[in-house]
Amino acid sequence: MIDVPTEIEVIIQGFEQSEEKLGANVISAALSPARMKLAGNSDAFRDAWPDAMAFALQREAENMGPWNTYFGAWSSGTKADGSDWYGPDVRELTPEVIEHWKARAKTLGHPVLRGRYADLVWEFSSPVSKTRGDPEFARIAIDSYLASVTNDMRPDQHDNIVVLKRAARLAALINDVERIRGTKGQLLIAFDKAVAEKAWWWAVSDELLQNRKIALSEDDRERLRTGWETLFAGYTAPGSDSFDPHHAENVGVRLIDYYRKAGATSEVERVAKGIADAFIYISRAGSAMQAMGWLETAVEYMSTAGDKDHARAVRLEREQAIRNSHEEMQSFTTTMTIDKEELDEFLSTVVDKNSWQQALFNIAVEFTEPRERLWGSLQREARAAPLMAMFSSSILAEDHKAATVGSTEDDKEGNLIRRLNTGQQLNRQFLARALDEAVDFHRLSPEEISSFIFQSELFDDFHLMREGIKAWMHGDYIKALFTLVPLIETGFRKLARNLGEVTTKAKRGAPGWEVSSNLGDFLAMESVQKAMGPDIILQIKSIFADARGTNLRNLVAHGLASSSYANWQVCDLIIHSLLVMGVYEEVRDVAARRGEEAARKADVGDYGDEMPTGEPVQDGDV
């Protein structure tokens, strides 16, 4: 039995008699310190916990765990032994605590206290006491929540809206028609107030629209539309205190949905154009980097409005903003010191002195990064900086946004490509020195390097390959770039054909015509992915066929590759890719073994803070 300490009971009864507005945070702020003062008395400290816990929990915590209940922890994490912890932890609740809360819900009269205890009983009876929730406590909670709002007993409008939403959902759960009607009425009143105050109207709107049990009438929906239109007029009025394009979009999408369902096309166009105009207005007062984002939204809504001419004009304005944004960008550089002894040791291990073929094979393998190792690095980084891992980033070309990389969790491939691309930049000196050492020590000719690449039988034009290699060796990077990049696609076309794949496709917009498939098509073929392996596919995609990486194939094919791309770093990556394609089966297998080892280390936590580097490979003689 719980014997509530006098110190706690005095506080509860004080709030019971209080005429002040009450929020759970105020009650918790009084109970928690009082309980801590009882720490010297273990029995009193224990018996003070149920009431302190009742107001320490967070509302609307369904995504928090461990039970995904309405009330839950404010924070969570992982202990050293790998188990989860929550603060506070609802797993510490007992049936005895539930019984104590039941008594509180039936004996207390203050709606804020009574509603909280009753709702806790309803929510936790099942996971804690293994019994079905008693609808009586759901009804007590609903009535108490409504009374606390009606009598203005809560601290602010946001708190009112939270408990009204909860009351509406509880009423829907127990299918109490009378209480559903009551909560709907209170929510509509709250909506009118939210519109007048321009605050939290979206939370009330969403509850009214999404809770199907509420069953809005046509008059109710018209009430919402009128409120939204009032908000929209203020949010889209330049110069007014309430002008806000982002809120205009927020309310505008609700109006657009309403008018679409009503078949009011002209109203949809009006609202969409109003959103677009608001973003255009602020884009002309901000920086170029701000403008390119705001104008992207404006283009979207101008298109929704069906105004193609204005959409085209805004698109051109956005392209100019992107060009201008390059002047606002800052360069961030870092210095990486490479110890000569370390570099010499690396070269002596990778560049085999007895066999030029083995030297080229080692280079092909050493600079092929396994996906699993990259992913392990990204995961460790996400754990160390979880907030940064949630951000997305945009990749800008000269006059357009070329790609977006999402959060680590949502865009695994995009983040792998960016991490691989970064690693290639950091390792470029090692790759360059390894290639130079192999060429110089073995006195390699363009013909020898070409013959190494031709082992895989993915290429047919030896003369073209030799000329491209020769240009690279002589520092003619423009010729090397524009000669060798198309050969990458040639090799994949030959591989696809060898695997029995169709290497043509229908021409868009020309029925009956066909065109050759491109590198992106080949990389997407399951048979090609299996033949090359995921590690090589990622590398080729990153360098040649994805806007989140270097994207060389598309830049060259579409005439977008300026002379700035014709440099030793880029051409070294092309040469390395060709070496990999020359012995792709062996490289695939070695990379797979390294990936398995990386995954094993990740499972047992063998990695340190740095991304591991593989040892040069000496097996698989060519």
Side-chain angles (χ1 to χ4, degrees), residues 18 456 491:
S18 174
S456 62

Side-chain angles (χ1 to χ4, degrees), residues 499-517:
L499 294 170
E501 296 285 357
V502 176
T503 58
T504 59
K505 60 183 180 180
K507 184 176 181 179
R508 189 185 307 168
W513 292 28
E514 292 180 326
V515 295
S516 296
S517 300

Side-chain angles (χ1 to χ4, degrees), residues 161 201 205 252 264 292 327 357 364 451 588 610:
I161 291 171
W201 56 264
S205 298
M292 67 183 187
E327 299 176 4
Q357 295 99 328
S451 66
R588 174 198 64 202
E610 301 299 325

Side-chain angles (χ1 to χ4, degrees), residues 184-205:
K184 181 179 83 167
Q186 289 287 349
L187 281 167
L188 287 168
I189 293 171
F191 173 75
D192 294 339
K193 186 175 181 180
V195 169
E197 296 178 351
K198 296 183 176 64
W200 302 108
W201 56 264
W202 52 90
V204 191
S205 298

Side-chain angles (χ1 to χ4, degrees), residues 2-10 38 43-45 47-49 51:
I2 295 172
D3 184 11
V4 181
T6 302
E7 294 84 347
I8 298 298
E9 190 64 30
V10 167
L38 299 171
D43 290 340
F45 187 72
D47 288 342
W49 183 77
D51 288 300

Side-chain angles (χ1 to χ4, degrees), residues 123-138:
E123 192 71 5
F124 289 113
S125 289
S126 177
V128 176
S129 300
K130 309 304 179 187
T131 60
R132 292 184 62 182
D134 187 343
E136 176 189 3
F137 290 95

Side-chain angles (χ1 to χ4, degrees), residues 273 276-277 280 284 295-323 399:
K273 190 173 186 302
D277 288 341
I280 292 170
R284 292 169 181 170
L295 290 172
E296 181 178 7
T297 304
V299 170
E300 175 188 347
Y301 284 101
M302 201 64 80
S303 299
T304 300
D307 194 333
K308 295 182 179 180
D309 291 338
H310 276 98
R312 181 177 180 279
V314 176
R315 190 180 297 277
L316 290 172
E317 188 173 346
R318 180 173 177 269
E319 290 179 0
Q320 185 59 50
I322 292 175
R323 283 190 286 267
D399 58 1

